[in-house]
Amino acid sequence: MKRSAGTAVGAAAALLLATGCSSDEGVGPAFERGPSSAASASASASREAAPSASPAPAKGSVKVVSTVTEGLASPWGLATLPDGDLLVSSRDEGTITRVDAGTGGKTLIGSVPGVAPAGEGGLLGIAVSPTYASDQLVYAYFTTAGDNRIARMFHDTKKPAGQQLGAPDTVLRGIPKGTIHNGGRIAFGPDKMLYAGTGETGDTGLAQDKESLAGKILRMTPDGEPVHGNPEADSLVYSLGHRNVQGLAWDSEKRLWAAEFGQNTWDELNLIEPGKNYGWPVAEGKAGKAGYVDPVEQWRTSEASPSGIAYAEGSIWMAGLRGERLWRIPLAGRESSADPQAFLEGEYGRLRTVLAAGGDRMWLVTSETDDRGTPRAGDDRILLLEVS
């Protein structure tokens, strides 16, 4: 059954002026404010009060094992097929490509009809059905001329390259769209339900509007229906008060974590709980305001502008766009166990997506060809990392 919801948004340019930022990734010196002593003290106190758990080591490591493939155009979403190969979406071209994880060979599997790339919109997150072995379904979150939506497509590997995607079956339509803040990350959770991070499109009030799908984390069945146990009956809304969620990951205890773009002061890593309000636009970063959940960690926008996250080796790993680095956030239960640690700073440019590959291995996708980077020969690429 197809569902529809959402609220029309105003002109993007006016909203950009109203929100005081030119993009998710905060461009310019006005965004380079350092952390306050109060915020640092709050972070220290939070760690001291953390519940007893086996913490990840304070210090970790990252080794680039190999460059899996190069020459990708505006890559955004990444998913793993059961045989270990990768699917990668192109935001601006509206295509999905299969990458041989061993040789790096690329095969275009097809284009997604209806994608209307503009600004930060286009073909964004992708996910493989938990029952792909039997249904061969690939899910995609994408921007159309009128909304953001989630659709699933049959992946027929017996057809020629470029013709392997079936017609989209829309499972959710009506997510508000904008030139900015379209969210876009989708992932199947340990409960086999589909989760989606959405943005508030630059219309900040939508994040607190329970009737809007914008500025939320959504939880639905694979068919796009509300899940029994969601905070409100007949609602897809799992959490609210988000500015622009582009990172979703679960830890070893099945807790959901999300990365979120701040406006001009704080980017956030949040521990997500059903029904909770994460503050935007009333609160940004560790504001300590009653009724709103503070992030577990926060960063200056110049150091992060986070997109994808993954969980591996006891830590959350967070890809930074403007920050051009990979952050490691070691965990002890529901808290961070030590200060976040940065890797690969400036080595590969903007980093868009990170995905666990099992054990101490992860995939990392660069993002230099999205109109905000400075592409070099070989961009964009997928890297295989070894982490600890």
Side-chain angles (χ1 to χ4, degrees):
M1 177 180 176
K2 301 175 179 63
R3 300 181 58 84
S4 177
T7 305
V9 298
L15 293 173
L16 280 167
L17 292 173
T19 56
C21 74
S22 58
S23 76
D24 276 334
E25 292 120 47
V27 178
F31 296 89
E32 299 186 15
R33 300 187 179 96
S36 66
S37 58
S40 299
S42 173
S44 299
S46 176
R47 291 191 190 105
E48 290 172 2
S52 176
S54 299
K59 299 297 182 182
S61 65
V62 171
K63 175 185 177 182
V64 178
V65 176
S66 64
T67 297
V68 178
T69 198
E70 297 182 334
L72 298 171
S74 60
W76 209 101
L78 190 70
T80 310
L81 291 169
D83 65 0
D85 282 356
L86 301 168
L87 296 180
V88 58
S89 64
S90 169
R91 186 194 70 182
D92 296 341
E93 296 187 347
T95 59
I96 299 177
T97 296
R98 181 172 185 154
V99 177
D100 187 303
T103 67
K106 300 190 292 285
T107 303
L108 177 67
I109 70 169
S111 299
V112 178
V115 175
E120 294 171 6
L123 179 55
L124 303 175
I126 55 175
V128 170
S129 166
T131 51
Y132 177 88
S134 58
D135 60 33
Q136 292 182 260
L137 291 175
V138 175
Y139 286 69
Y141 182 117
F142 57 95
T143 311
T144 73
D147 65 358
N148 285 302
R149 62 182 59 181
I150 300 171
R152 57 190 175 190
M153 295 153 284
F154 181 69
H155 179 204
D156 189 346
T157 57
K158 296 178 182 178
K159 289 192 173 181
Q163 302 175 32
Q164 296 180 1
L165 285 179
D169 171 26
T170 302
V171 298
L172 178 64
R173 68 178 74 244
I175 303 170
K177 61 165 282 190
T179 303
I180 59 171
H181 304 182
N182 289 288
R185 194 70 61 183
I186 58 173
F188 282 95
D191 57 1
K192 304 295 192 293
M193 297 296 106
L194 181 62
Y195 293 73
T198 72
E200 34 79 307
T201 74
D203 184 348
T204 59
L206 294 181
Q208 293 294 327
D209 181 355
K210 292 184 179 181
E211 300 303 315
S212 174
L213 298 181
K216 309 294 189 297
I217 292 176
L218 309 176
R219 177 177 181 247
M220 67 198 80
T221 70
D223 295 324
E225 295 296 319
V227 182
H228 178 71
N230 274 5
E232 294 188 11
D234 200 34
S235 174
L236 302 175
V237 175
Y238 193 68
S239 63
L240 71 158
H242 298 290
R243 185 169 182 266
N244 193 26
V245 174
Q246 288 189 3
L248 299 171
W250 288 263
D251 65 21
S252 58
E253 298 301 317
K254 301 181 181 180
R255 290 177 286 245
L256 174 59
W257 298 81
E260 182 166 349
F261 289 95
Q263 179 171 279
N264 59 6
T265 309
W266 299 117
D267 292 327
E268 302 177 356
L269 177 69
N270 287 295
L271 175 61
I272 303 300
E273 295 182 287
K276 293 298 179 68
N277 190 324
Y278 289 81
W280 181 254
V282 181
E284 181 182 359
K286 296 184 178 182
K289 292 189 176 183
Y292 304 109
V293 180
D294 278 350
V296 172
E297 285 292 351
Q298 61 184 17
W299 293 261
R300 291 180 292 171
T301 56
S302 61
E303 296 177 334
S305 296
S307 187
I309 62 172
Y311 176 80
E313 298 297 289
S315 297
I316 294 291
W317 300 83
M318 186 177 81
L321 288 163
R322 187 181 173 212
E324 297 189 354
R325 67 199 78 178
L326 178 68
W327 284 100
R328 173 185 182 266
I329 304 96
L331 299 181
R334 299 166 55 87
E335 302 287 346
S336 55
S337 60
D339 289 333
Q341 188 179 7
F343 294 94
L344 308 179
E345 185 173 350
E347 293 184 34
Y348 293 94
R350 295 158 52 81
L351 305 180
R352 172 67 69 180
T353 296
V354 60
L355 182 68
D360 63 355
R361 299 296 175 100
M362 293 194 314
W363 310 108
L364 179 65
V365 182
T366 68
S367 189
E368 285 290 293
T369 59
D370 66 347
D371 297 329
R372 290 182 181 156
T374 306
R376 299 175 292 181
D379 284 334
D380 271 309
R381 60 198 80 208
I382 299 175
L383 308 174
L384 177 61
L385 309 180
E386 180 182 291
V387 302
S388 67

